[in-house]
């Protein structure tokens, strides 16, 4: 059944994340870095986590767009028009 398949996939993903297998990698370059330069691997993993897996508050989004030179009023208008999507708001501000 699809539910069992999804459950199996999630359990497998959890296992990969909690116990990496550099001898049987999904990505050879990452596995090589893990084995040969663990400090850089850890720094890179932290960067990717902070960049792509950390929620950003709406205040931080507004500040980031204002730091690009847009007024707070225009930024908030653009965000409201695109449902809070930062990338779409930036495209709207640039158009």
């Amino acid at each position: 059944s699809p539910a069992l398949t999804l459950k199996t996939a999630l359990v497998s993903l959890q296992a990969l994340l909690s116990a990496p297998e550099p001898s049987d990698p999904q990505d050879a370059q990452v596995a090589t870095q893990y084995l040969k330069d663990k400090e850089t691997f850890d720094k890179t993993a932290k960067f990717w986590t902070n960049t792509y897996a950390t929620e950003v508050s709406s205040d931080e989004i507004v500040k980031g767009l204002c730091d690009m030179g847009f007024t707070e009023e225009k930024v908030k208008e653009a965000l409201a028009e695109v449902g809070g999507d930062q990338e779409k708001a930036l495209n709207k501000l640039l158009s």
Side-chain angles (χ1 to χ4, degrees):
S1 86
L4 287 176
T5 305
L6 179 58
K7 180 179 179 182
T8 303
L10 291 173
V11 168
S12 296
L13 181 59
Q14 181 184 28
L16 282 171
L17 290 172
S18 63
E21 290 290 337
S23 60
D24 183 23
Q26 298 295 314
D27 185 319
Q29 184 178 4
V30 173
T32 300
Q33 188 179 63
Y34 181 85
L35 292 170
K36 294 185 176 184
D37 189 358
K38 186 74 164 58
E39 183 179 347
T40 300
F41 172 86
D42 289 342
K43 286 179 183 177
T44 303
K46 183 176 182 176
F47 170 79
W48 282 85
T49 300
N50 289 336
T51 302
Y52 298 106
T54 305
E55 189 173 339
V56 179
S57 74
S58 59
D59 289 342
E60 290 173 310
I61 293 173
V62 170
K63 182 182 181 321
L65 292 170
C66 288
D67 287 348
M68 293 179 189
F70 302 106
T71 66
E72 185 173 344
E73 179 183 357
K74 291 287 185 187
V75 167
K76 287 183 177 181
E77 284 176 17
L79 285 167
E81 290 177 25
V82 297
D85 185 298
Q86 182 176 2
E87 188 174 333
K88 288 180 181 176
L90 178 57
N91 287 333
K92 186 161 194 58
L93 290 163
L94 292 171
S95 63

